[in-house]
Amino acid sequence: TFPTLIDQMEAELVRLGLDREKIGIRMTGCPNGCVRPYQCDIGIVGRSGDKYTLFVGGNLIGSRLNFVLKDLVPMAEIVPTLLPLLEDYKNARLHLEGFGDYCQRMGAEKLRSMIEPIPV
């Protein structure tokens, strides 16, 4: 559920020292976008049962759309999937750069390469 997900995310943000950062997260079970998951730093949209599409790269004021990071992510894997991005954000962000701005700057291809296993 969303409260459990937020608790897990908050614990990771504290661990990374990012707990004072403003990172907007919106989650919905409906693809119609009623809670505007396509306009925030991290959007989570239900797809099928326990699987979600993860979006990143929007902004807190909702003036920029985010992009698909990964599709069909089980609920239990949402935070672990986002963790490599948050770790890199901590180390590679520019001064006063928000998480969505960082995601846009890095680009979809780079971010996806950070979460996908390296082919053998």
Side-chain angles (χ1 to χ4, degrees):
T1 65
F2 190 61
T4 302
L5 177 81
I6 292 301
D7 289 344
Q8 292 170 355
M9 183 67 79
E10 284 180 347
E12 290 299 335
L13 291 173
V14 167
R15 185 182 67 77
L16 292 169
L18 295 172
D19 50 309
R20 293 175 114 21
E21 297 301 315
K22 294 179 182 177
I23 299 176
I25 302 172
R26 295 187 184 140
M27 181 178 190
T28 182
C30 173
N32 293 332
C34 298
V35 298
R36 299 178 296 147
Y38 310 112
Q39 296 174 301
C40 59
D41 294 307
I42 300 170
I44 304 166
V45 179
R47 287 268 287 143
S48 174
D50 183 20
K51 299 218 169 40
Y52 297 82
T53 303
L54 299 183
F55 295 84
V56 295
N59 61 14
L60 289 172
I61 61 172
S63 62
R64 179 181 61 227
L65 294 175
N66 49 29
F67 55 83
V68 174
L69 176 66
K70 188 172 182 179
D71 195 20
L72 299 173
V73 179
M75 172 67 87
E77 294 179 23
I78 291 174
V79 173
T81 299
L82 293 169
L83 197 51
L85 277 61
L86 292 167
E87 289 170 342
D88 193 63
Y89 168 64
K90 176 184 177 179
N91 298 315
R93 65 184 167 165
L94 302 176
H95 181 67
L96 300 178
E97 184 175 42
F99 183 71
D101 298 326
Y102 156 83
C103 291
Q104 286 289 333
R105 179 172 59 85
M106 299 304 285
E109 186 175 325
K110 170 71 173 168
L111 295 180
R112 288 182 192 128
S113 75
M114 294 168 65
I115 63 169
E116 296 298 328
I118 298 170
V120 179

